[in-house]
Amino acid sequence: MKSGSRGNFPYKLIALKILFVLFLFPLTISAQSESTRTGTIKEEVLPNGLKVIVIEDHNAPVATFQIWYRVGSRNEYIGKTGLSHLLEHMMFKGTRKYGTKSFSKIVQRAGGVDNAFTTKEYTAYYQKLASDRIDLSIELESDRMQNLIMNERETLAERNVVMEERRMRYEDDPQRLVYEEVVAAAFKNHPYRWPVIGWMPDIGGITRDELWDYYRTYYTPNNAVVIVAGNVKAEIIIEKINNAFSHIPRGPEPTNTKISEPSQRGERRIYVKKEAELPYVIAAYKVPNILDKDSYALEVMESVLSGGKSARIYKSLIYEKQLCQSAGAGYEGLYRDPFLFYLYGTAAPGKSIEDVEQALYAEVEKIKQKPPSEREVQKAKNQLEAAFIMGQDSISFQVRVIGMFEMIESWRLKDLYIEGIRKVTPEDVQAVARKYLVEDQRTVGILIPIKVRSEK
């Protein structure tokens, strides 16, 4: 919402992403009022359905409070894309108790920071404060869960702000535009095909009443998870959250409609003409999500191809052949449903984008023909494990990981990650390359640069 917010970009937290893998079997979450402790994590579900997770970490006198709502762009529908993200903006407009546009000022006066982000799967809000001031977050978030001010004038004004955000961050960014078009072409049925920020005509058509209905439907205790981490006592924090939130009634029970994507029966290819300096290509393949056992090998394959300057793509396309200005690979598996693995490259000046594309495919073919070496795979696994462990130093990182796992399935599944990564073999990497990185499952987007239009 604010400057620096992750907002609607399908961002990828690399250090965080490494945690998300493997879910070989579903887990049953505790019933209401059940309290479970795993290590220093305590969980409780209030009678109105609000789940509370507390992580005690007494290394520093700070705490972070985050509230995650199970609503993102996948909950929108054709003609009304962008609702989730616009509502995220409106959540900072204030309540009757605290007045308009005062939320962030109150947090800042207390010495804290706050922000929010919206994704395809969820919307989250967070504050970080001295731990003896974390009660402020509890009060503010319980208040705006039910008492948000949403008048017509402010809604229209914020709608214009989001439209301008889309112009600046997406439509003026040629490579982002290509990514957006590739995702839209790769999915024919699933709501993943539209961007989190929404299509421009849809954003411009969102009304105050539509946004209010969306707020009332999804911003309810039984559709939210509160996560607190830091120098706190779990029992005390849970009691305070219970006192602040328990009077808020349950909302409609969240629906969990299974959305399937029809089989792709051949390569799809799109071209985007846009003012730019250099051509760019991105090739996206349908792959399983983090709930599938193959996700571990896909994760390792990404690192083998793109995990630094000694990885295959950088070494071959940038250093040796000097074909690309930038290039890499990415596995986007942190979704409730299957998503994408992609290869990308920006041609170096004077180089052909066709040569870049073929060079990317050649690196994949090498893995299909011969498994990566034990040394490469071990290095990739070490990188993933090291990032996972180092991330634990940050309470914000810990909460972000807990929240993302919880939104996908269950926070407990994070504990399986390292074990799953350690088991990946070179043959596993070869197998997923052969299984998923095939031409018929590929959607290719190419940026064709055009000259910048001169001002008249």
Side-chain angles (χ1 to χ4, degrees):
M1 168 269 171
K2 301 188 298 185
S3 176
S5 166
R6 295 289 184 182
N8 38 46
F9 181 55
Y11 69 91
K12 175 177 171 183
L13 295 175
I14 293 181
L16 207 160
K17 172 179 176 300
I18 56 177
L19 291 178
F20 302 164
V21 186
L22 181 54
F23 300 67
L24 295 178
F25 48 87
L27 297 181
T28 302
I29 302 301
S30 61
Q32 291 180 1
S33 299
E34 178 183 339
S35 179
T36 303
R37 179 180 285 276
T38 301
T40 58
I41 302 176
K42 185 169 184 178
E43 171 193 309
E44 187 156 326
V45 181
L46 305 186
N48 62 5
L50 179 67
K51 179 178 282 191
V52 182
I53 300 170
V54 182
I55 308 164
E56 290 191 22
D57 184 333
H58 303 288
N59 288 323
V62 296
T64 183
F65 181 102
Q66 300 193 6
I67 184 163
W68 295 60
Y69 292 96
R70 299 180 190 276
V71 58
S73 61
R74 69 175 290 140
N75 300 95
E76 300 161 358
Y77 46 93
I78 293 173
K80 295 299 172 187
T81 63
L83 277 166
S84 306
H85 177 245
L86 179 54
L87 180 54
E88 178 212 309
H89 278 238
M90 294 302 297
M91 286 291 284
F92 290 86
K93 294 303 179 184
T95 63
R96 290 182 179 85
K97 183 175 182 179
Y98 290 103
T100 58
K101 303 178 183 178
S102 56
F103 189 101
S104 296
K105 292 177 184 175
I106 293 171
V107 174
Q108 289 164 11
R109 280 199 294 270
V113 294
D114 73 308
N115 214 326
F117 49 91
T118 306
T119 75
K120 293 181 183 295
E121 307 286 1
Y122 48 80
T123 306
Y125 303 84
Y126 65 89
Q127 301 88 46
K128 188 172 183 180
L129 290 150
S131 53
D132 60 357
R133 298 179 180 179
I134 203 66
D135 292 7
L136 181 62
S137 292
I138 297 172
E139 166 57 26
L140 289 173
E141 289 293 6
S142 66
D143 182 44
R144 71 174 174 178
M145 179 185 278
Q146 56 183 333
N147 299 317
L148 184 66
I149 293 173
M150 191 182 294
N151 63 46
E152 184 78 19
R153 184 177 61 81
E154 287 285 355
T155 303
L156 295 178
E158 202 61 32
R159 195 177 71 180
N160 291 335
V161 169
V162 172
M163 292 173 74
E164 183 60 22
E165 178 183 343
R166 177 173 171 85
R167 289 189 192 93
M168 294 180 63
R169 296 180 58 188
Y170 292 80
E171 302 196 359
D172 288 344
D173 185 331
Q175 294 188 3
R176 258 188 184 178
L177 266 187
V178 178
Y179 175 86
E180 203 174 68
E181 293 293 330
V182 164
V183 174
F187 293 94
K188 297 175 68 176
N189 184 55
H190 201 288
Y192 287 162
R193 68 184 186 274
W194 53 70
V196 175
I197 195 171
W199 300 119
M200 186 68 90
D202 290 356
I203 301 169
I206 295 174
T207 68
R208 181 268 176 199
D209 289 348
E210 290 168 339
L211 209 57
W212 182 256
D213 289 343
Y214 204 72
Y215 169 63
R216 285 304 190 199
T217 299
Y218 292 107
Y219 280 54
T220 61
N222 50 312
N223 197 44
V225 178
V226 167
I227 310 172
V228 180
N231 186 34
V232 297
K233 291 288 187 183
E235 291 78 8
I236 295 173
I237 284 294
I238 290 173
E239 182 180 356
K240 289 179 177 178
I241 291 172
N242 185 38
N243 292 338
F245 284 87
S246 61
H247 67 284
I248 304 174
R250 298 174 71 93
E253 289 304 317
T255 57
N256 191 20
T257 305
K258 177 67 177 175
I259 306 171
S260 298
E261 183 67 18
S263 299
Q264 184 169 339
R265 301 183 186 282
E267 183 187 82
R268 299 169 187 166
R269 186 169 283 264
I270 58 105
Y271 297 89
V272 175
K273 295 181 178 179
K274 177 72 178 171
E275 295 91 344
E277 294 295 325
L278 296 167
Y280 169 76
V281 61
I282 177 169
Y285 300 84
K286 300 274 179 52
V287 291
N289 64 355
I290 56 173
L291 304 178
D292 193 285
K293 61 181 177 56
D294 284 345
S295 60
Y296 291 116
L298 288 164
E299 192 90 16
V300 172
M301 182 168 66
E302 176 198 315
S303 289
V304 168
L305 288 170
S306 189
K309 291 186 176 180
S310 61
R312 293 191 175 201
I313 287 179
Y314 184 94
K315 191 174 178 182
S316 173
L317 275 69
I318 296 176
Y319 182 71
E320 294 175 354
K321 298 176 182 173
Q322 299 187 4
L323 270 175
C324 294
Q325 193 169 73
S326 63
Y331 169 48
E332 297 282 357
L334 305 177
Y335 295 91
R336 286 166 56 190
D337 294 315
F339 199 60
L340 300 169
F341 188 103
Y342 54 88
L343 312 168
Y344 63 89
T346 302
K351 301 297 182 181
S352 158
I353 197 63
E354 290 78 14
D355 289 344
V356 172
E357 183 180 357
Q358 294 308 314
L360 288 167
Y361 299 155
E363 294 305 317
V364 173
E365 288 303 316
K366 290 176 186 174
I367 294 177
K368 289 181 179 179
Q369 296 300 319
K370 182 181 179 182
S373 67
E374 289 280 359
R375 184 174 177 276
E376 281 181 292
V377 171
Q378 190 58 53
K379 179 184 174 186
K381 293 193 291 188
N382 291 345
Q383 288 175 334
L384 294 170
E385 186 170 349
F388 171 80
I389 293 170
M390 287 189 288
Q392 304 307 304
D393 283 344
S394 163
I395 58 171
S396 296
F397 180 88
Q398 292 181 52
V399 173
R400 186 72 68 93
V401 170
I402 292 282
M404 293 182 73
F405 273 111
E406 181 65 23
M407 292 296 107
I408 300 298
E409 186 84 20
S410 164
W411 61 266
R412 293 178 178 84
L413 297 170
K414 72 180 182 61
D415 298 330
L416 302 175
Y417 174 73
I418 291 296
E419 180 184 348
I421 288 295
R422 286 174 177 168
K423 291 180 179 176
V424 173
T425 66
E427 288 73 26
D428 293 334
V429 176
Q430 181 186 43
V432 295
R434 288 176 170 176
K435 185 175 181 180
Y436 300 110
L437 272 58
V438 296
E439 182 176 344
D440 285 350
Q441 293 294 306
R442 188 166 70 203
T443 302
V444 182
I446 294 179
L447 171 65
I448 301 175
I450 59 176
K451 292 183 178 178
V452 177
R453 295 171 184 160
S454 59
E455 297 291 338
K456 292 183 178 179

